[in-house]
Amino acid sequence: MPLIRGRLPGQLIIQYSNRCNADCPQCGMRRSEQISRYTLDKAHAKKLIDSAAANGVRSLSLTGGEPLMFLDDIVELTNHASRAGIPYVRTGTNGFIFTNSDAPDYQDRISRITEKLASTPLYTFWISMDSANPASHERMRGLNGVVTGIEKALPIFHDHGIYPAVNLGINRATGSGHRQPFLSAMGQNGFLQTFRESFESFYRFAANLGFTMANACYPMSEGSDGEREHAGDAPDSTYGAISSDTVITFSRREKSLIFQALFDTIPKFRGTLRIFSPRCSLYSLIKKYQVGQPFLFPCRGGTDFFFVECREGMIHPCGYLDDPKDELPFLGKRFGTVVNCEKCEWECFRDPSDVLGPFADFFSHPFKLLAKVMREPQFFRLLKEDLSYYKACGFFNGRLAPRTSAMLRFQRS
Ligand code: SF4
Ligand code: SF4
């Protein structure tokens, strides 16, 4: 039990390939980008998975690029991970499979894909979406007609016992894309209110399409609109998923307002959608960006969480720090030189570090934990509420239908 040793259950993110058939402006792997393209050797990926399972990793993400360009490999690796003892395996799609939904064979095509995924123990399947406005989303992705296709496909997934999560990459077009909000033009209140309305529109739109679960990817790039306070803080990306496009580039003050807007909006939809984004983590982010308060619980990148890039299959502390190793450590030994890194807020690592970090501290540093509780009681109130809500959500098991009656208790207008 890693928590007793002050560790978190390990998480490994494997970038299986950086090949992609979408054209998102927010991503350096878009199809129009002239970069070298790689796909991991499948046998090597299996070895990494075996080593991860033997070293305490409990959660695996198979990401890209576009994972479903390699559907059969992803199915094989998911089954392999489960046999190796990793219970939580996630993968997803940019949605390209949902284009051409008017074709006569569409239902059969989606059924065949869904059957393959449903034959595995896959825990979570995500579908990425960028905007509450279908035209904006499709323009950003470069995938025409994909929104209608998703609406037609979701009932097929549900019939096969898979409840996909919508994965929002927060950007300036989240609400509509017609009028992109900038703090310098709108002022603080206008920017905050616009993002609250954007998140409301997005969650309503996702629920109306048929989604039952949602997550949000926090913006990673930092722009310089005169408000950037710590130039150079934002890391480069081993992962390749960042971009300098203004649609995804926010100043620190803009980010603080975006985190506030998301924090304010989530309770309104907790009865409608299973929303993973923990409010305790958003609270930490708001504190960091508004008053410079360090995180209570350090990012576990490089200690319990790791990232494998697709070029050579090397293991890095995360998708952003380039510190390659060819073997995973046994969880409990420090990996590389990363200590208390605060260079980014990659939600894959930030959110579980905040949600699970206190449990590891409970066993390893109980007095430090007590001091944190005394210093930041609001964080722990939010964490308690998040955990109760997670329980009502069946811990985001994407193979189970939502229990709306249990979730409604957490809905507040
Ligand atoms: S965000 Fe995903 S779908 Fe879009 S270009 Fe990047 S890898 Fe492809
Ligand atoms: S905060 Fe975590 S994910 Fe971000 S750069 Fe540092 S170790 Fe990596």
Side-chain angles (χ1 to χ4, degrees):
M1 181 71 173
L3 291 174
I4 294 172
R5 301 196 316 272
R7 317 297 305 185
L8 300 192
Q11 176 185 194
L12 183 66
I13 297 183
I14 295 182
Q15 180 191 37
Y16 190 59
S17 177
N18 65 353
R19 295 176 202 281
C20 190
N21 46 15
D23 216 9
C24 313
Q26 69 270 33
C27 178
M29 293 181 279
R30 56 187 169 260
R31 66 185 177 220
S32 54
E33 196 75 17
Q34 298 298 308
I35 58 168
S36 303
R37 302 283 175 173
Y38 306 96
T39 300
L40 263 189
D41 173 63
K42 196 167 50 180
H44 181 67
K46 285 184 180 175
K47 273 193 197 156
L48 284 166
I49 289 169
D50 290 341
S51 158
N55 285 299
V57 166
R58 308 287 289 153
S59 161
L60 171 72
S61 287
L62 295 166
T63 185
E66 167 51 32
L68 291 204
M69 286 170 74
F70 308 90
L71 175 62
D72 289 340
D73 291 356
I74 294 293
V75 164
E76 195 175 327
L77 293 173
T78 301
N79 284 325
H80 185 86
S82 174
R83 281 195 299 271
I86 299 179
Y88 306 108
V89 184
R90 303 188 295 261
T91 196
T93 181
N94 61 25
F96 82 96
I97 56 170
F98 306 118
T99 53
N100 299 320
S101 67
D102 288 337
D105 69 339
Y106 182 72
Q107 301 268 337
D108 288 345
R109 179 157 57 85
I110 297 300
S111 288
R112 279 197 300 277
I113 294 169
T114 313
E115 271 161 27
K116 284 189 183 184
L117 293 169
S119 71
T120 74
L122 189 68
Y123 192 80
T124 307
F125 181 71
W126 75 78
I127 299 173
S128 299
M129 295 203 79
D130 299 321
S131 176
N133 179 290
S136 292
H137 172 68
E138 293 177 4
R139 192 171 52 248
M140 282 180 73
R141 294 266 150 182
L143 298 172
N144 290 338
V146 69
V147 175
T148 303
I150 290 172
E151 192 169 19
K152 289 179 186 172
L154 284 173
I156 302 173
F157 274 78
H158 295 170
D159 285 347
H160 285 81
I162 295 181
Y163 293 83
V166 62
N167 207 20
L168 166 67
I170 297 172
N171 65 85
R172 291 188 202 273
T174 293
S176 75
H178 296 312
R179 188 179 62 116
Q180 297 208 347
F182 284 86
L183 178 59
S184 48
M186 310 181 91
Q188 181 159 317
N189 289 344
F191 187 84
L192 178 62
Q193 191 52 29
T194 302
F195 262 94
R196 283 190 187 127
E197 288 165 11
S198 294
F199 290 130
E200 283 194 24
S201 302
F202 186 83
Y203 285 141
R204 204 171 292 117
F205 170 68
N208 287 341
L209 275 183
F211 283 104
T212 68
M213 213 182 302
N215 192 25
C217 299
Y218 308 144
M220 290 298 299
S221 312
E222 276 186 24
S224 52
D225 61 358
E227 289 146 353
R228 186 171 168 184
E229 290 153 27
H230 301 288
D233 272 4
D236 291 333
S237 168
T238 305
Y239 183 19
I242 60 174
S243 143
S244 56
D245 194 290
T246 53
V247 77
I248 192 73
T249 308
F250 298 95
S251 69
R252 293 176 70 88
R253 278 189 54 210
E254 285 181 325
K255 278 194 193 179
S256 83
L257 295 167
I258 288 170
F259 295 134
Q260 183 71 58
L262 189 58
F263 179 90
D264 295 344
T265 309
I266 284 171
K268 296 182 183 175
F269 292 89
R270 274 188 159 175
T272 314
L273 289 164
R274 292 173 280 185
I275 301 175
F276 175 73
S277 309
R279 291 178 81 233
C280 65
S281 182
L282 288 164
Y283 176 80
S284 297
L285 288 163
I286 292 164
K287 284 279 183 182
K288 178 186 175 190
Y289 278 96
Q290 286 184 357
V291 295
Q293 180 172 299
F295 291 130
L296 281 181
F297 297 96
C299 175
R300 295 292 179 141
T303 50
D304 302 314
F305 303 162
F306 308 95
F307 175 83
V308 174
E309 44 74 19
C310 61
R311 187 161 59 97
E312 292 176 296
M314 300 294 276
I315 303 151
H316 296 257
C318 64
Y320 300 92
L321 299 180
D322 187 16
D323 186 7
K325 301 273 184 290
D326 53 14
E327 282 194 20
L328 265 176
F330 183 73
L331 297 185
K333 287 189 181 157
R334 187 164 296 289
F335 175 81
T337 53
V338 191
V339 184
N340 290 353
C341 177
E342 295 200 357
K343 284 193 170 177
C344 80
E345 49 278 341
W346 195 22
E347 83 295 333
C348 299
F349 283 14
R350 183 69 255 147
D351 288 348
S353 296
D354 266 335
V355 170
L356 295 173
F359 294 96
D361 269 13
F362 179 78
F363 292 105
S364 59
H365 300 104
F367 293 110
K368 272 193 188 167
L369 179 62
L370 191 61
K372 289 177 186 178
V373 173
M374 307 285 278
R375 200 165 73 236
E376 267 298 348
Q378 178 64 357
F379 174 91
F380 291 91
R381 274 194 285 273
L382 291 165
L383 173 64
K384 187 166 170 259
E385 188 183 59
D386 286 335
L387 292 173
S388 304
Y389 173 65
Y390 282 15
K391 190 169 173 226
C393 291
F395 296 101
F396 304 95
N397 185 340
R399 306 306 289 269
L400 299 176
R403 290 185 302 128
T404 312
S405 56
M407 290 153 56
L408 273 171
R409 219 160 39 87
F410 297 88
Q411 182 141 321
R412 289 197 300 274
S413 56

